[in-house]
Structures are given as structure tokens and as C-alpha cells.
């Protein structure tokens, strides 16, 4: 696998890195919660925790399972939407010679259509 950039990777990498960082943080948090639950059970010194503690531990374990990204299949995050800067960088062109093809509402606008009202 090459470590060279294809030119479009940095824009995608930033978004993907953010998602990955969030997944790692959620995974670590889930692991910390599970460790905490184990410590609470160990603290009981052979006895069992109170009914209130058991309810709290059940909830905490369920919460850890819910926030753990490894509890389900991981997917590649979608790429961020295109914007003027990313298109300019990708096309390496003059956006004034090739105007932005979307109107103010994000709808595709054909060249020469002007600002017709709908």
C-alpha cells in the first residue's frame, strides 16, 4: 500500500480522521465503564452489591454496549460534501470561468438558466 496522496485524499482524510477519533474515544469510554463496573463488583468482597447498585451496573453496562462502536459492523464514513474550495483544489481551475453549478438552495442549475423563481 502506497503512502502517497492521490490529491483528493487530504479532504477525505480529515473527515474520516474525525470519525475515527470519535470511534476510538467511544470505544475507550465503553471499556472504562466496563472496568468501573468490574471494580464495583470486586469491591463487594465476595458479597453481592445492593439492589440499587445492581440496577445501576445493569444500566451502565447497557450504556457501554450502546456507545461501543465495535458492537456493530464498522462502515467507511461518507466523504464530506463538495464545496467551492474542494472543487477548486480538485479541478485546479478558475471557478469564475467555470461557475458554481448550484443555486442558493443547493439545486443543480444548468448554465444560462439564470435565477428563475420556482
Amino acid at each position: 500500500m502506497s503512502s502517497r496522496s492521490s490529491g483528493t485524499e487530504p479532504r477525505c482524510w480529515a473527515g474520516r480522521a474525525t470519525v475515527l477519533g470519535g470511534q476510538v474515544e467511544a470505544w475507550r469510554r465503553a471499556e472504562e465503564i466496563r472496568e468501573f463496573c468490574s471494580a464495583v463488583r470486586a469491591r463487594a468482597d465476595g458479597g453481592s452489591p445492593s439492589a440499587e447498585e445492581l440496577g445501576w451496573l445493569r444500566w451502565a453496562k447497557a450504556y457501554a454496549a450502546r456507545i461501543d462502536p465495535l458492537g456493530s459492523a464498522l462502515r467507511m464514513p461518507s466523504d464530506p460534501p463538495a464545496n467551492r474550495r474542494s472543487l477548486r483544489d480538485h479541478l485546479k481551475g478558475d471557478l469564475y470561468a467555470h461557475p458554481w453549478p448550484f443555486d442558493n438552495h443547493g439545486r443543480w442549475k444548468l448554465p444560462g438558466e439564470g435565477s428563475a423563481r420556482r
Side-chain angles (χ1 to χ4, degrees), residues 8-9 14 20 34 41 57 60 67 80 86-87 92 97 107 110:
T8 58
E9 289 173 344
L20 178 61
R34 289 182 188 111
R41 285 189 182 273
L57 291 173
I67 67 169
S86 64
L87 283 177
K92 307 248 188 278
R107 294 183 296 245
L110 294 174

Side-chain angles (χ1 to χ4, degrees), residues 19-20 22-24 26-27 67-77:
V19 170
L20 178 61
Q23 289 174 334
V24 169
W27 172 72
I67 67 169
D68 190 346
L70 299 182
S72 60
L74 297 176
R75 291 184 213 124
M76 178 73 72

Side-chain angles (χ1 to χ4, degrees), residues 55-69:
W56 180 241
L57 291 173
R58 273 193 299 276
W59 180 88
K61 284 184 168 187
Y63 177 72
R66 194 176 86 222
I67 67 169
D68 190 346

Side-chain angles (χ1 to χ4, degrees), residues 2-13 16 89-90 92:
S2 173
S3 63
R4 295 195 175 247
S5 170
S6 69
T8 58
E9 289 173 344
R11 181 177 68 88
C12 298
W13 281 9
R16 290 175 184 171
D89 295 345
H90 179 71
K92 307 248 188 278

Side-chain angles (χ1 to χ4, degrees), residues 1 16 19-20 27 38 52 69 73 76-78 82 90 95-96 102 115-116:
M1 189 172 201
R16 290 175 184 171
V19 170
L20 178 61
W27 172 72
S38 294
E52 187 175 1
M76 178 73 72
S78 59
H90 179 71
L95 288 180
Y96 293 105
F102 300 100
S115 59

